[in-house]
Amino acid sequence: MPQPLARIVDQLKREPSRTGSIVITVFGDAIVPRGGSVWLGTLLQFFEALDIDGGVVRTAMSRLAADGWLEREKVGRNSFYRLAASGHRTFEAATRHIYDPPPSDWSGRFELLLIGKAGDRDASREALRNAGFGSPLPGVWVAPSGVPLPEEAASAIRLEVSAEDDSGRRLLSESWPLDRTADAYLKFMKAFEPLRGWLDRRARLSELEAFTARILLIHHYRRVVLRDPLLPSALLPKNWPGSAARALCGEIYRAVLPASEQWLDHHGLNGSGALPKAAAELARRFRD
């Protein structure tokens, strides 16, 4: 494994409770475009490359199934997993946020959601964050007008507000921790710039190394971008690093995608055999 990628893997090993989050990344980035179902053995083979024990992976899969993220089908001694229906809705919003180009136009208006019941707040919190909403106060959520409303928040009271006056701008500044998001983007770029430099020298990764690089790239990037409201540039601080981070992520992703897909061609299995070829949308990711 080349040194830049080995360094990223070593960093990952120092993070607590990482396995379940990586499983989610694998499904959203690589399995859903290929039909959505995968053999546990395929996942175990990948995690072995990360030096993560199979027992830890099985425990993470069981927890994700118990929490309603995954569904398991057992055929003989083999287990196959796919996203649960509720997981698909969350993944669709997250997929747009991660891979689609940021919106280029803005009306100058913001969507303001009010959610009064504590139970509704709890049920919708994660979906709203993943959709790009920020929260200045409990039960209050804000996003640029036009951001799709998650199904989990369908009962919210919806208002439109302007960000043109001081009160509107104060609302925005208190809705998202932009300083922390900027720092997270800078850390992401510091971790992955060496890998881009290595690839720029026309160095080649094996199929498994390419798949590993792809998954860890999106694993790190999505943890930042899903907390980024993707505000219009007029509302962002100067020298905002989000655009540079997206460009870096897209460049590496396109470089490793062909070999990573070949690894899935050769090792990815579901209940019917080899995984189907990826949907056409895969080739459109990070194409601005």
Side-chain angles (χ1 to χ4, degrees):
M1 184 177 294
Q3 185 60 33
L5 183 56
R7 198 176 301 127
I8 294 167
V9 172
D10 288 341
Q11 176 185 333
L12 181 78
K13 292 177 182 178
R14 295 192 291 269
E15 297 179 3
S17 304
R18 61 193 181 276
T19 307
S21 180
I22 299 172
V23 169
I24 292 296
T25 302
V26 172
F27 269 87
D29 183 74
I31 303 305
V32 169
R34 283 176 167 255
S37 177
V38 69
W39 177 44
L40 175 61
T42 299
L43 298 176
L44 292 175
Q45 188 172 351
F46 162 64
F47 277 100
E48 184 179 355
L50 299 180
D51 197 26
I52 296 177
D53 183 74
V56 174
V57 179
R58 289 184 175 89
T59 298
M61 301 297 289
S62 296
R63 287 175 178 168
L64 289 168
D67 291 342
W69 282 99
L70 300 176
E71 296 174 349
R72 185 179 78 160
E73 179 185 7
K74 201 160 179 63
V75 180
R77 300 179 63 182
N78 294 323
S79 293
F80 301 88
Y81 288 86
R82 68 168 52 251
L83 281 180
S86 57
H88 270 290
R89 289 193 296 271
T90 301
F91 268 73
E92 286 171 3
T95 295
R96 290 192 297 269
H97 203 92
I98 294 168
Y99 304 104
D100 288 357
S104 58
D105 55 352
W106 178 54
S107 67
R109 310 288 292 178
F110 274 79
E111 194 95 33
L112 184 68
L113 304 183
L114 304 177
I115 304 177
K117 295 180 181 179
D120 291 342
R121 293 180 193 175
D122 293 340
S124 61
R125 183 179 295 113
E126 191 66 19
L128 284 165
R129 284 177 178 164
N130 288 342
F133 282 80
S135 180
L137 295 167
V140 179
W141 294 87
V142 183
S145 289
V147 171
L149 184 66
E151 187 174 314
E152 292 86 343
S155 63
I157 298 172
R158 302 177 63 176
L159 303 169
E160 259 203 339
V161 298
S162 171
E164 298 301 326
D165 56 24
D166 290 341
S167 295
R169 292 186 179 277
R170 182 182 174 189
L171 177 66
L172 297 182
S173 68
E174 295 178 358
S175 296
W176 294 281
L178 292 182
D179 288 346
R180 279 187 287 165
T181 303
D183 287 343
Y185 273 133
L186 292 173
K187 289 178 181 176
F188 166 79
M189 289 191 288
K190 182 178 180 180
F192 282 90
E193 278 282 7
L195 180 59
R196 175 168 66 176
W198 193 85
L199 292 168
D200 283 346
R201 294 192 293 273
R202 299 182 181 276
R204 294 180 61 84
L205 297 172
S206 70
E207 292 177 0
L208 180 54
E209 288 169 348
F211 188 75
T212 300
R214 169 184 169 182
I215 296 302
L216 295 188
L217 176 76
I218 297 302
H219 173 68
H220 284 79
Y221 182 68
R222 77 174 178 87
R223 290 189 301 178
V224 187
V225 75
L226 290 183
R227 295 296 181 259
D228 183 351
L230 303 181
L231 293 173
S233 57
L235 298 174
L236 290 170
K238 291 183 179 179
N239 301 317
W240 178 250
S243 297
R246 174 181 168 80
L248 171 65
C249 186
E251 186 175 335
I252 297 174
Y253 193 85
R254 291 190 295 270
V256 302
L257 185 61
S260 70
E261 284 294 293
Q262 288 170 7
W263 186 82
L264 285 172
D265 288 340
H266 298 148
H267 301 278
L269 298 173
N270 62 21
S272 302
L275 293 179
K277 291 292 184 182
E281 67 185 33
L282 186 68
R284 294 194 290 268
R285 289 177 173 177
F286 296 108
R287 300 286 183 181
D288 293 353

